[in-house]
């Protein structure tokens, strides 16, 4: 068992359930061979950022946010248009079997589906999840480059021009927002660095288009 496995086990038992049965299957999904960024390490970092934000922000259900973080990329196929919906269905099944209340399961499902667009949400819990998922945009330059290379590898079916076109569109939409991050904490900690990273990546993509 790796250090990250231990960290995830601890977080699962703290937030989701003492029954760790579904966790092994979930981790197996995150270790699928085609994943280069959206794997176990990503889940670890999203959960860490959730904890960081929860410590500063007003939220209703930290455990539900953590459960959504565990499941938000449970189904991940780059060419599949409904990963988030499928991930939400899996979370619903597992959390129901674990005895979670139906209303809380609904909230977890809604948060997972919100990560399909990362649009600014209307509630604080979803804002925390989305900001935690986007925190990688504010990584230090070397870690940001690792993230970009990981995602590029997951989209290896695209040629360079197709990748540059699609990726540039996604990045530009982030820059066009009034703020990339929704929480006050996320804006204070990550906004400036994220914008600098995105601008630099856009400049590098222009040579591939």
């Amino acid at each position: 068992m790796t250090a990250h496995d231990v960290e995830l086990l601890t977080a699962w038992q703290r937030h989701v359930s003492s029954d760790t049965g579904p966790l092994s299957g979930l981790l197996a999904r995150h270790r699928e061979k085609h994943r280069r960024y959206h794997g176990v390490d990503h889940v670890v970092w999203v959960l860490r950022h959730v904890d960081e934000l929860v410590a500063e922000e007003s939220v209703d259900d930290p455990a539900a946010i953590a459960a959504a973080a565990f499941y938000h990329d449970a189904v991940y196929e780059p060419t599949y248009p409904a990963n988030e919906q499928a991930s939400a269905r899996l979370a619903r099944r597992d959390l129901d079997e674990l005895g979670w209340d139906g209303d809380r399961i609904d909230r977890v499902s809604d948060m997972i589906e919100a990560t399909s667009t990362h649009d600014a949400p209307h509630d604080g819990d979803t804002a925390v999840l989305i900001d935690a998922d986007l925190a990688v945009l504010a990584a230090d330059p070397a870690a940001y480059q690792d993230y970009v290379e990981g995602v590029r590898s997951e989209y290896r079916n695209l040629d360079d021009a197709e990748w540059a076109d699609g990726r540039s569109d996604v990045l530009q939409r982030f820059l066009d927002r009034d703020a990339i991050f929704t929480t006050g904490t996320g804006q204070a900690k990550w906004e400036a660095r994220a914008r600098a990273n995105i601008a630099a990546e856009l400049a590098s993509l222009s040579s591939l288009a």
Side-chain angles (χ1 to χ4, degrees):
M1 183 176 286
T2 69
H4 278 179
D5 288 344
V6 173
E7 186 172 343
L8 291 174
L9 175 62
T10 300
W12 179 274
Q13 292 174 322
R14 175 186 172 197
H15 293 296
V16 183
S17 177
S18 59
D19 182 349
T20 60
L23 180 60
S24 60
L26 191 57
L27 294 182
R29 287 179 174 274
H30 284 95
R31 288 193 169 97
E32 292 166 337
K33 291 183 178 180
H34 66 278
R35 297 180 187 242
R36 293 296 181 271
Y37 169 70
H38 293 89
V40 169
D41 289 355
H42 174 58
V43 179
V44 168
W45 278 104
V46 172
L47 284 163
R48 288 177 181 176
H49 290 311
V50 165
D51 283 345
E52 185 177 357
L53 292 170
V54 165
E56 301 291 338
E57 298 290 323
S58 176
V59 300
D60 292 326
D61 194 344
I65 303 170
F70 268 106
Y71 280 94
H72 77 288
D73 286 322
V75 176
Y76 183 74
E77 293 286 346
T79 60
Y80 181 54
N83 287 308
E84 291 78 13
Q85 292 88 340
S87 296
R89 287 195 298 271
L90 180 64
R92 282 183 171 278
R93 184 199 72 187
D94 286 356
L95 295 176
D96 180 65
E97 291 177 355
L98 291 171
W100 275 49
D101 174 81
D103 288 342
R104 293 183 81 203
I105 293 174
D106 288 344
R107 290 291 299 117
V108 171
S109 176
D110 289 345
M111 282 189 279
I112 292 169
E113 293 201 31
T115 64
S116 64
T117 62
H118 293 103
D119 289 338
H122 297 293
D123 68 281
D125 288 16
T126 306
V128 164
L129 177 66
I130 289 177
D131 279 9
D133 196 26
L134 294 179
V136 66
L137 297 176
D140 67 71
Y144 185 86
Q145 186 59 34
D146 287 343
Y147 148 68
V148 171
E149 290 174 1
V151 176
R152 176 66 180 105
S153 179
E154 291 172 345
Y155 283 88
R156 54 189 172 275
N157 59 302
L158 302 179
D159 64 30
D160 284 347
E162 292 170 328
W163 162 255
D165 184 59
R167 178 71 175 172
S168 296
D169 181 64
V170 169
L171 294 175
Q172 190 61 55
R173 280 189 274 120
F174 281 125
L175 282 189
D176 289 344
R177 294 184 181 185
D178 291 336
I180 295 170
F181 299 96
T182 302
T183 65
T185 304
Q187 290 173 15
K189 288 178 176 285
W190 301 323
E191 187 77 23
R193 168 55 65 186
R195 288 185 175 275
N197 282 337
I198 290 171
E201 185 183 354
L202 280 169
S204 69
L205 287 168
S206 64
S207 66
L208 300 178

